[in-house]
Amino acid sequence: MTLARAVPAPSGPKKVKTVKVVDSETGAEMAELPVLTGTVGADVIDVRTLQAQTGLFTYDPGYTATASCESKITYIDGDKGELRYRGIPIEQLAEHSDFLEVCHLLLYGNLPIGGEKEAFAKGVTYHTMLHEQVNFLFRGFRRDAHPMALMVGLVGALSAFYSDSSDVDDPEQRAIASYRLIAKMPTIAAMAYKWSIGQPFVYPRNDLGYAENLLHMMFAVPCEPYQVNPVVARAMDLMLILHADHEQNASTSTVRLAGSSGANPFACIAAGIACLWGPAHGGANEAVLEMLEEIGTPNRIPEFIERAKDRDDPFRLMGFGHRVYKNYDPRAKIMRETCHQVLDELGVRDEAQLKIAMELEKIALDDPYFVERNLYPNVDFYSGIILSAMGIPRTLFTAVFAVARTIGWIAQWSEMHTDPSQKIGRPRQVYSGETERDFVPVDQRG
Ligand code: SDX
């Protein structure tokens, strides 16, 4: 069964006009650069000929204003707080779709029709098992190793087991690797959890849906049947949808950069997992729960708000702020609503953390410091509360994020490989170190 299907390829942004670079002292024109446009969002200045025309580079630490690629996958309007996967608003997908359908949308550009959903689901389902030798890799890790350390190591190691889907220039091998990664990430995440609690691994089941399978592999034990709670399964499916893709965020850019060298897909996704782990990125969901626990009671919130505003204090309000959203993260809105529903339906009465989170949000959003900087709750602010209520251990929060984001990384990596303008990523720098100087023998130094 061929799995390779057309992945929409970038067609090259259209030139709409040019802009000139003029020396403000002499008035001399230094360069004329094309302005390119997409279908929606900011136009871009194409600086690819800037150095040739002027000898100058651009300077943009953290790429705050730099488009690294053309993409057709996800669009964010940070000012309006809008997120769309292949043009469909996240709110509609959250309400009407499911994660595997969203995976098909992100990868192939459209929601599945006819038998496409069943074929895609079957392709994923029949790749959920891991090579049995992978089990032995766990034995090299301490039981208390962070699950993300296992995820990075194990996903990177998959290239040693699946070399028949590592040729990035073969669309069929790219497709097989894509299915393998989407399918095996839940299995690896669940095994990392089982390893940490000393329980036996639970194999995936082909009769369960994607989110159900993840929960079953995490919480079932060989001694008795385990029934996945449908409320938890639906909440998990929703979490996966909300975390699936997000334009050129740090971990996706890491995957693209690794992929630009021709690295195999498993190594690229392992690089993305490593980047996602950072507390400023996907690790924030775990950090939010730690912060809520440290705050402890609503009357301590002002103390932490003041610390977050203090430039000399490294403390930041975890789950707040975003490079792109200067409005409410639409995923956080959906998750805040889901929080109440999941807590109510699961009868989780300990809403202390939720109460602190909502009070923290209310106070912060009234505080000029946060308002002036457009700091709103992001995807990580409420996700930890829901995951906790679902029984997911805190150390696994970012691993669940990685399971969800794998489809985004894969879709972006696949798109990169179909982009005719694709080159190996190699940023430049502004050098401010020593000018040329000679080596000094050790007896003449000092
Ligand atoms: C994710 O990019 C993505 O799309 C990521 C993501 C995805 O789906 O892939 O959305 C997932 O990573 C969400 C973000 C999760 N991280 C956190 O919640 C950690 C806390 N947030 C911050 O570390 C920060 O807001 C970032 C890292 C998210 C964004 O940082 P930026 O864009 O570099 O903004 P900045 O650091 O330049 O901050 C601008 C100002 C600064 O103050 P001033 O220098 O102007 O005085 O806002 C302040 C910052 O000090 N600020 C905060 C703050 N976030 C920014 N102050 C207190 N608490 C915060 N959380």
Side-chain angles (χ1 to χ4, degrees), residues 111-157:
L111 292 167
I113 54 177
E116 288 177 339
K117 180 168 181 181
E118 290 65 32
F120 185 78
K122 187 175 177 196
V124 171
T125 301
Y126 284 85
H127 281 86
T128 47
M129 279 186 31
L130 283 167
H131 188 295
E132 198 66 6
Q133 288 284 115
V134 172
N135 294 9
F136 298 114
L137 297 181
F138 283 84
R139 296 181 189 176
F141 290 94
R142 289 166 47 115
R143 292 283 181 171
D144 61 357
H146 195 290
M148 288 300 279
L150 277 76
M151 296 281 281
V152 172
L154 288 157
V155 172

Side-chain angles (χ1 to χ4, degrees), residues 15 26 38 93 119 159 167-168 231 258 308 312 317-318 343-344 346 404 411:
K15 177 179 167 182
T26 64
L93 292 168
S159 57
D167 178 358
V168 298
V231 172
D312 298 326
L317 220 46
M318 300 317 280
L343 292 177
D344 288 347
L346 291 179

